[in-house]
Amino acid sequence: MSSSRLPIVTVSELGTHVGEAVSLRGWVYNHRSSGKIQFIILRDGTGFVQGVAAAGEAPDEVLETARTLTLETAVRMDGKVRKDSRAPGGYEIAVTGLEVVSRSSDYPITLKEHGVEFLMDHRHLWIRTPRQQSLLRLRAELVRALRDFLDDRGFVLVDSPILTPAACEGTTTLFQTDYFGERAYLSQSGQLYQEAAALALGRTYCFGPTFRAEKSKTRRHLIEFWMLEPEMAFVDLEESMRLQEEMVTYAVRRLLERRADDFKTLKRDTSALERVKPPFPRITYDEAVELVNRKGVPMEWGEDFGAPHETAISEEFDLPVFVHHYPSAVKAFYMKPDPDRPETCLSADLLAPEGYGEIIGGGQRIDDLETLEKRIAEHDLPAEAYRWYVDLRRYGSVPHSGFGLGLERTLAWVAKVDHVRETIPFPRLLHRIYP
Ligand code: 4AD
Ligand code: MG
């Protein structure tokens, strides 16, 4: 039994214990019997392994316990590790001990197909399935890769606040809350605070949840999502784009290197990802407008792209593509006007291939006091709430740039999943805050 002093190992460690008796702990992912043999698929978070208990070989009490197993019952399982190329994962356990930690009855998620609303209602259990586990692991590695990239290049993590008195990305998508009698909002972006941080530390970033009360019900929109926001003093738009393409390439390579099994579970053909490397193509907003019109997705100069436009643009490239120099009118108040063509601004969005849309939005910020004050007034923003931000143009203002990478959209592209609801552990969507 598991009270024995066998080494406790995880499924991922089985390869170094072939021929040895070990103890595993986990949950029953599936269970079936075939004649005199009981098969138990155990999952422990690191992988899946098949336990085999054969009459005549396994102790009687093991066979008896095995017969009573139900989906997601928590167990301790002892046995000898055998190599078996036919078994999922390549190993099998000849079960010699089996102990129920806690029983599960009528587990709602069975191995048959379920509708997506049902799965979303059971997200707390859905994450136990192989595909969702792989997505969560990829997400964790993606975060690690992005942070390693920045940390290794001298960026300092400076956390931006979540509760803020001012809007960053326009006033139409704000979640408002009462802050002891004052009006406060959930952060739409940590950018403004990163601008203060970059003037203190040179190169900084924040990574945290951001909130948009957007009435959008698309496969790219979450109400709460995670954004990585680097900000750099003395850096222009061009240099910022170079950093973005290097960062995205680094992260994609890291996932290919470290998470190949997860791509396999997801059946993601990674050949397109293998080709990701700088430089990414760059087109101007003007060229993009011309392109979509030529492709029969009409729009006028001065409008923002919708999802069909973004898809039409990205279809033309097999790498992520930068679209830069948008009209100032479709961008946020802080975007620096292009000195040569002030109706456009020094902004760039990065659109992912395969129709995944914008994964990064960024640009060079207005660095002179007068233009910034004018913009804040034009956008009808309350001057008082931006007083500290405007201060930054008073005390040693410099050219500076930054960008925000949306984690869920980036992962949706890399993992090739249809909807961002599967790329965040517990999605908040229009009309969904449960579980
Ligand atoms: O383009 P956005 O709105 O840019 C900013 O917020 C800037 N202040 C960032 C900066 O310069 N520091 O958002 C940046 C990215 C988008 O490209 C997208 O990937 C993601 O955040 N994003 C969303 N992801 C999921 N659901 C939503 N509703 C999103 N809105 C933006
Ligand atoms: Mg954007």
Side-chain angles (χ1 to χ4, degrees), residues 168-169 188-192 194-195 206 210-214 216 218-231 331-332 334-335 348-350 356-363 365 401-410 420 428:
C168 181
E169 297 298 317
Q188 297 169 307
S189 160
Q191 176 195 322
L192 305 185
Q194 289 310 302
E195 291 184 53
C206 62
T210 41
F211 305 86
R212 306 271 168 103
E214 264 172 297
S216 306
T218 80
R219 59 196 189 88
R220 297 172 185 176
H221 282 92
L222 290 161
I223 302 301
E224 178 180 313
F225 64 97
W226 284 64
M227 186 155 48
L228 180 83
E229 298 186 85
E231 193 71 30
K331 289 293 180 192
Y334 51 71
M335 293 283 190
D349 286 356
L350 185 64
Y356 282 94
E358 181 199 324
I359 55 171
I360 294 183
R365 324 305 191 187
S401 303
F403 58 91
L405 173 141
L407 190 71
E408 292 77 15
R409 287 195 197 169
T410 304
V420 288
R428 270 71 189 99

Side-chain angles (χ1 to χ4, degrees), residues 36-50:
K36 293 197 162 98
I37 310 181
Q38 304 275 332
F39 295 98
I40 306 153
I41 310 278
L42 181 95
R43 62 162 196 90
D44 75 344
T46 72
F48 295 76
V49 68
Q50 174 166 278

Side-chain angles (χ1 to χ4, degrees), residues 67-223:
R67 269 192 286 275
T68 69
L69 292 180
T70 50
L71 295 188
E72 291 302 315
T73 284
V75 295
R76 295 195 186 94
M77 185 166 97
D78 295 348
K80 197 164 161 185
V81 185
R82 290 198 294 237
K83 226 179 150 97
D84 183 341
S85 54
R86 293 160 308 169
Y91 304 100
E92 197 175 73
I93 307 294
V95 184
T96 54
L98 188 62
E99 189 188 320
V100 169
V101 175
S102 111
R103 282 195 195 279
S104 146
S105 54
D106 302 323
Y107 188 65
I109 300 186
T110 57
L111 300 180
K112 67 166 208 238
E113 289 274 310
H114 293 285
V116 74
E117 283 309 309
F118 178 87
L119 291 170
M120 291 292 288
D121 284 340
H122 294 85
R123 182 67 179 166
H124 51 301
L125 304 176
W126 189 20
I127 55 175
R128 300 182 183 192
T129 58
R131 183 184 152 81
Q132 299 305 317
Q133 284 186 25
S134 282
L135 287 168
L136 293 180
R137 265 195 293 267
L138 282 168
R139 178 182 167 107
E141 189 61 47
L142 177 58
V143 171
R144 198 138 79 111
L146 292 166
R147 292 204 43 197
D148 280 350
F149 177 88
L150 294 171
D151 292 343
D152 290 349
R153 280 158 189 76
F155 283 75
V156 181
L157 173 70
V158 179
D159 303 307
S160 289
I162 302 292
L163 287 166
T164 69
C168 181
E169 297 298 317
T171 47
T172 55
T173 65
L174 285 170
F175 271 110
Q176 194 180 313
T177 182
D178 170 61
Y179 196 80
F180 309 108
E182 266 185 75
R183 196 180 297 169
Y185 309 104
L186 297 184
S187 173
Q188 297 169 307
S189 160
Q191 176 195 322
L192 305 185
Y193 296 95
Q194 289 310 302
E195 291 184 53
L199 296 188
L201 294 152
R203 294 173 157 224
T204 65
Y205 70 98
C206 62
F207 175 59
T210 41
F211 305 86
R212 306 271 168 103
E214 264 172 297
K215 293 266 157 66
S216 306
K217 203 175 173 181
T218 80
R219 59 196 189 88
R220 297 172 185 176
H221 282 92
L222 290 161
I223 302 301

